[in-house]
Amino acid sequence: MVEKIDPFIKIRRDLHLIPEVGLEEYKTRDYLLKIIQQLPQEHLEIKVDETAILVRVKGTEGNRTIGWRTDIDGLPVVEKTDLTFESTHEGRMHACGHDVHMAITLGILTHFSEHPAKDHLVFFFQPAEETVSGAKIYYDKGFLNEWMPDEFYALHVDPNRPVGTIATKEGTLFASTCDLTVDFHGIGGHAAYPQESNDMVVAASQFVNQVQTIVSRNVNPVEGAVVTLGSFHAGTTGNVISDHARIEGTIRALTKDMSYRVQKRFKEIAQGIEMTYQCKVDVDLNMYGYLPVINTPKETEAFVQFMKHRADVHYEEAGTAMTGEDFGYLLDKVPGTMFWLGVDTPYGLHHPQMSPKEEAIPFAIKTVCDFLEAKANHVLEQEKVALS
């Protein structure tokens, strides 16, 4: 007997087979468009730019526009789930749950294509969340301008919470992130004649040690920041003094200002290494569009109150996480909220065995549809007036 599965779980499995990294999501785009074009078209308008898709469901009154965003890219991870629908793209995996995000979004879009609300609804299928901030790229190039939302919403799967759980908070949900690369340039030579060389292993090692003082001695303990240097490459063999070293890492902070302060101190330490070791140090710091995800008060309060009053939702107050998400760039421009969706798996985000529980998909479709319907039909505002 053939197993009968929810159509959007089937869509998730189809998407899980074809993960693609940022700005290369062409098969993913084509699959999404095929589904979207099968929906009732009477109320739909579609825009495509490379791998980005924007779909507007025209409202019956159209006074406002409510936005929903999903990311669509995968990761350069070798999958080890042993699922029957394991990735067919070697070295690529939907290890962050974006396949789940897309399936949920298609479910929500399907509902509103058949049952339009009073306000317009815009669905942004966004590339490159994991790499170069598709949010920044497409916002800055004006892709959203014609149908710019008045409010924006998004979710992210949470492996640590049970299915049926939704969690968020007002204010900072995720940190800003800044990718960094530091190159050290000196003079190489024979290990037997160190006086004729300028060893970049030594210079870079001292830099690593000094950078550890930034958080412990330059950051207010109650504000929080993280500096991680995760990659150190230098030299080619044991008896040659290296003329070059490269360090890669990340800076994470809960505010833009704190991130900029940490970056400033980072560059000052690099300048000190240049002077001390008489070498050249090139520092490349790039936040791309990974600003903090800061949920705005009015929109978050309405979302939280809606979820708290649903019998089928277990709502939790979320803590602030040092993970990064480029939805923060959109929330820097447009008010809105991001939230966690419980998918209950023992393996964390980006793990090669990460496999969300699929029953979270129909749960999320129903819950988010109800919320957006209340929003776009002005039911939440009417309830607030009645209670005041």
Side-chain angles (χ1 to χ4, degrees), residues 193-381:
Y193 306 102
Q195 74 279 9
E196 297 177 3
S197 304
N198 189 5
D199 192 344
M200 290 303 95
V201 171
V202 174
S205 296
Q206 288 301 313
F207 178 79
V208 170
N209 287 331
Q210 290 186 36
V211 162
Q212 304 311 307
T213 67
I214 294 176
V215 173
S216 66
R217 290 297 175 267
N218 301 123
V219 173
N220 186 329
V222 301
E223 292 188 52
V226 171
V227 180
T228 297
L229 304 179
S231 174
F232 187 129
H233 294 277
T236 55
T237 190
N239 63 350
V240 176
I241 292 173
S242 178
D243 66 349
H244 176 256
R246 167 169 281 198
I247 291 170
E248 297 176 355
T250 181
I251 294 169
R252 295 169 184 251
L254 300 181
T255 66
K256 285 190 290 186
D257 288 344
M258 176 58 73
S259 182
Y260 293 141
R261 277 154 48 192
V262 172
Q263 290 178 50
K264 179 175 181 290
R265 184 68 186 126
F266 193 90
K267 288 186 280 190
E268 289 170 349
I269 291 173
Q271 290 165 1
I273 293 292
E274 277 190 324
M275 294 176 62
T276 303
Y277 291 93
Q278 297 180 329
C279 62
K280 180 168 173 37
V281 182
D282 294 324
V283 178
D284 182 14
L285 299 172
N286 201 328
M287 285 181 70
Y288 299 109
Y290 295 88
L291 304 180
V293 173
I294 302 176
N295 290 335
T296 51
K298 177 183 172 184
E299 290 71 26
T300 306
E301 180 188 6
F303 177 84
V304 169
Q305 290 306 314
F306 181 88
M307 295 303 165
K308 280 184 174 180
H309 288 88
R310 285 185 67 94
D312 59 340
V313 171
H314 175 67
Y315 175 77
E316 293 181 355
E317 179 85 5
T320 300
M322 280 293 179
T323 48
E325 233 290 352
D326 73 346
F327 190 61
Y329 193 82
L330 297 176
L331 289 185
D332 190 57
K333 313 296 182 184
V334 179
T337 296
M338 187 171 215
F339 61 93
W340 289 111
L341 172 73
V343 294
D344 193 17
T345 170
Y347 302 105
L349 300 174
H350 296 203
H351 192 281
Q353 290 175 272
M354 210 280 283
S355 183
K357 286 191 175 177
E358 293 180 317
E359 54 263 41
I361 294 172
F363 164 78
I365 292 171
K366 177 68 166 67
T367 304
V368 175
C369 277
D370 289 349
F371 169 73
L372 292 178
E373 201 155 44
K375 257 284 174 187
N377 287 323
H378 311 168
V379 173
L380 295 184
E381 289 85 346

Side-chain angles (χ1 to χ4, degrees), residues 11-22 24-29 31-32 70-81 83 85-103 126-130 156-157 159 343 345 347-356:
I11 285 172
R12 179 257 164 166
R13 294 181 181 183
D14 290 345
L15 288 164
H16 193 83
L17 289 164
I18 55 168
E20 298 163 294
V21 294
E24 298 178 8
E25 311 96 333
Y26 291 101
K27 285 186 180 179
T28 303
R29 177 205 61 191
Y31 181 92
L32 293 169
T70 181
D71 31 22
I72 71 171
D73 55 326
L75 285 160
V77 171
V78 177
E79 183 165 352
K80 298 179 181 178
T81 60
L83 294 167
F85 50 92
E86 196 171 66
S87 170
T88 59
H89 290 178
E90 185 176 355
R92 302 286 186 264
M93 179 187 173
H94 272 301
C96 204
H98 296 184
D99 52 341
V100 174
H101 298 177
M102 288 184 279
Q126 179 214 298
E129 188 279 321
E130 299 285 356
H156 203 295
V157 297
V343 294
T345 170
Y347 302 105
L349 300 174
H350 296 203
H351 192 281
Q353 290 175 272
M354 210 280 283
S355 183

Side-chain angles (χ1 to χ4, degrees), residues 44-114:
L44 298 192
E45 296 176 286
I46 303 169
K47 288 175 62 176
V48 180
D49 185 339
E50 293 294 332
T51 57
I53 305 171
L54 200 62
V55 183
R56 183 169 79 148
V57 183
K58 291 177 287 185
T60 57
E61 296 179 4
N63 295 320
R64 298 183 305 171
T65 298
I66 312 297
W68 179 266
R69 173 272 208 169
T70 181
D71 31 22
I72 71 171
D73 55 326
L75 285 160
V77 171
V78 177
E79 183 165 352
K80 298 179 181 178
T81 60
D82 292 326
L83 294 167
T84 57
F85 50 92
E86 196 171 66
S87 170
T88 59
H89 290 178
E90 185 176 355
R92 302 286 186 264
M93 179 187 173
H94 272 301
C96 204
H98 296 184
D99 52 341
V100 174
H101 298 177
M102 288 184 279
I104 291 167
T105 301
L106 287 171
I108 300 166
L109 175 56
T110 298
H111 171 79
F112 285 105
S113 72
E114 299 166 351

